[in-house]
Amino acid sequence: MKKWFTDKTKFWKIMKICAAQTMIAMIIAGVSMAHNSDGQLLETRITLNLEDVPLEKALKEIERIGKVKFVYSEDQLDFDKTITFNATDQTLGDLLDKLLEPYQIKYKVHEKELTITLR
Protein backbone atom coordinates (compact mmCIF):
# COMPACT_ATOMS: atom_id res chain seq x y z
CA MET A 1 0.00 0.00 0.00
CA LYS A 2 1.30 3.39 -0.99
CA LYS A 3 1.47 6.24 1.52
CA TRP A 4 -0.05 9.52 0.41
CA PHE A 5 2.39 11.86 2.08
CA THR A 6 5.81 10.34 2.12
CA ASP A 7 7.43 13.76 1.91
CA LYS A 8 6.77 16.02 4.92
CA THR A 9 7.33 19.21 2.90
CA LYS A 10 4.43 18.35 0.61
CA PHE A 11 2.24 17.71 3.63
CA TRP A 12 3.08 21.08 5.24
CA LYS A 13 2.59 22.91 1.94
CA ILE A 14 -0.90 21.45 1.57
CA MET A 15 -1.68 22.22 5.23
CA LYS A 16 -0.63 25.87 4.75
CA ILE A 17 -2.86 26.22 1.69
CA CYS A 18 -5.82 24.66 3.55
CA ALA A 19 -5.23 26.89 6.58
CA ALA A 20 -5.08 30.00 4.41
CA GLN A 21 -8.31 29.07 2.64
CA THR A 22 -10.00 28.35 5.96
CA MET A 23 -8.93 31.71 7.37
CA ILE A 24 -10.21 33.56 4.28
CA ALA A 25 -13.53 31.72 4.51
CA MET A 26 -13.86 32.57 8.22
CA ILE A 27 -13.11 36.25 7.59
CA ILE A 28 -15.64 36.46 4.77
CA ALA A 29 -18.27 34.68 6.87
CA GLY A 30 -17.62 36.99 9.81
CA VAL A 31 -17.91 40.12 7.70
CA SER A 32 -21.08 38.98 6.01
CA MET A 33 -22.91 37.96 9.18
CA ALA A 34 -26.09 39.91 9.84
CA HIS A 35 -25.83 42.74 12.28
CA ASN A 36 -27.93 45.71 13.26
CA SER A 37 -28.55 48.18 10.50
CA ASP A 38 -30.05 51.65 10.37
CA GLY A 39 -33.33 50.20 9.24
CA GLN A 40 -33.96 48.30 12.45
CA LEU A 41 -34.17 51.41 14.62
CA LEU A 42 -36.49 53.02 12.09
CA GLU A 43 -38.77 49.96 12.21
CA THR A 44 -39.82 50.74 15.80
CA ARG A 45 -43.62 51.02 15.94
CA ILE A 46 -45.04 54.23 17.43
CA THR A 47 -48.53 55.53 18.17
CA LEU A 48 -48.62 59.29 18.66
CA ASN A 49 -51.37 61.91 18.94
CA LEU A 50 -50.25 65.54 19.15
CA GLU A 51 -52.32 68.71 18.79
CA ASP A 52 -50.86 72.22 18.48
CA VAL A 53 -47.53 71.43 20.11
CA PRO A 54 -44.14 72.88 19.18
CA LEU A 55 -41.92 70.66 17.04
CA GLU A 56 -39.40 70.41 19.86
CA LYS A 57 -42.04 68.99 22.21
CA ALA A 58 -43.11 66.52 19.51
CA LEU A 59 -39.53 65.31 19.20
CA LYS A 60 -39.29 64.89 22.99
CA GLU A 61 -42.45 62.78 22.94
CA ILE A 62 -41.06 60.61 20.12
CA GLU A 63 -37.84 60.21 22.14
CA ARG A 64 -39.84 59.00 25.11
CA ILE A 65 -42.05 56.58 23.19
CA GLY A 66 -39.45 55.29 20.72
CA LYS A 67 -36.58 55.06 23.23
CA VAL A 68 -34.36 57.07 20.90
CA LYS A 69 -32.41 60.31 21.34
CA PHE A 70 -32.48 63.21 18.88
CA VAL A 71 -29.35 65.29 18.42
CA TYR A 72 -29.76 68.73 16.89
CA SER A 73 -28.67 72.34 17.10
CA GLU A 74 -31.50 74.62 18.19
CA ASP A 75 -30.23 77.53 16.12
CA GLN A 76 -30.31 75.46 12.91
CA LEU A 77 -33.89 74.23 13.29
CA ASP A 78 -37.08 76.31 13.56
CA PHE A 79 -38.98 75.12 16.61
CA ASP A 80 -41.45 78.02 16.83
CA LYS A 81 -44.07 76.40 14.62
CA THR A 82 -46.76 74.27 16.21
CA ILE A 83 -47.89 71.01 14.70
CA THR A 84 -50.82 68.64 14.88
CA PHE A 85 -49.85 65.07 14.14
CA ASN A 86 -51.56 61.71 14.54
CA ALA A 87 -49.90 58.37 13.93
CA THR A 88 -51.25 54.95 14.81
CA ASP A 89 -48.82 52.02 14.86
CA GLN A 90 -46.47 53.63 12.33
CA THR A 91 -42.79 52.90 11.96
CA LEU A 92 -40.43 55.54 13.29
CA GLY A 93 -39.01 56.01 9.80
CA ASP A 94 -42.41 56.76 8.26
CA LEU A 95 -43.34 59.02 11.15
CA LEU A 96 -40.13 61.05 10.84
CA ASP A 97 -40.52 61.34 7.07
CA LYS A 98 -44.05 62.74 7.40
CA LEU A 99 -43.22 64.96 10.37
CA LEU A 100 -39.94 66.48 9.18
CA GLU A 101 -40.38 66.67 5.41
CA PRO A 102 -42.50 69.87 5.41
CA TYR A 103 -39.68 71.63 7.31
CA GLN A 104 -36.91 70.30 4.99
CA ILE A 105 -35.25 68.65 8.00
CA LYS A 106 -33.11 65.64 7.13
CA TYR A 107 -31.96 63.02 9.60
CA LYS A 108 -29.20 60.47 9.98
CA VAL A 109 -29.56 57.34 12.12
CA HIS A 110 -26.81 56.14 14.46
CA GLU A 111 -27.93 52.61 15.30
CA LYS A 112 -25.35 51.73 17.94
CA GLU A 113 -25.99 54.86 20.01
CA LEU A 114 -29.77 54.80 19.41
CA THR A 115 -29.58 58.42 18.26
CA ILE A 116 -30.88 60.36 15.29
CA THR A 117 -29.11 63.52 14.16
CA LEU A 118 -31.32 66.22 12.67
CA ARG A 119 -29.98 68.80 10.20
Side-chain angles (χ1 to χ4, degrees), residues 7-114:
D7 188 10
K8 287 186 180 182
T9 58
K10 284 184 185 178
F11 176 74
W12 286 112
K13 191 181 239 183
I14 292 173
M15 288 299 291
K16 285 180 185 179
I17 292 171
C18 289
Q21 289 177 343
T22 302
M23 291 300 288
I24 290 170
M26 289 174 58
I27 290 170
I28 290 172
V31 169
S32 66
M33 286 182 65
H35 56 83
N36 289 342
S37 66
D38 293 347
Q40 290 180 341
L41 180 62
L42 295 179
E43 293 301 314
T44 304
R45 294 281 188 191
I46 294 180
T47 299
L48 184 68
N49 294 312
L50 303 171
E51 290 193 32
D52 292 327
V53 296
L55 182 58
E56 186 173 20
K57 189 170 184 177
L59 292 175
K60 296 286 183 196
E61 187 66 17
I62 294 170
E63 280 182 345
R64 186 183 67 77
I65 295 171
K67 296 181 178 82
V68 66
K69 181 76 175 155
F70 288 104
V71 179
Y72 52 86
S73 175
E74 290 183 18
D75 59 335
Q76 289 181 341
L77 302 177
D78 183 19
F79 289 117
D80 295 334
K81 298 177 183 175
T82 60
I83 60 165
T84 298
F85 193 82
N86 294 316
T88 304
D89 197 35
Q90 276 190 344
T91 63
L92 180 59
D94 290 342
L95 187 140
L96 289 176
D97 290 339
K98 290 177 186 174
L99 181 67
L100 300 176
E101 190 174 317
Y103 303 104
Q104 286 84 34
I105 298 173
K106 302 213 182 302
Y107 61 89
K108 183 176 179 184
V109 177
H110 307 278
E111 187 74 32
K112 289 182 181 178
E113 296 85 19
L114 298 176

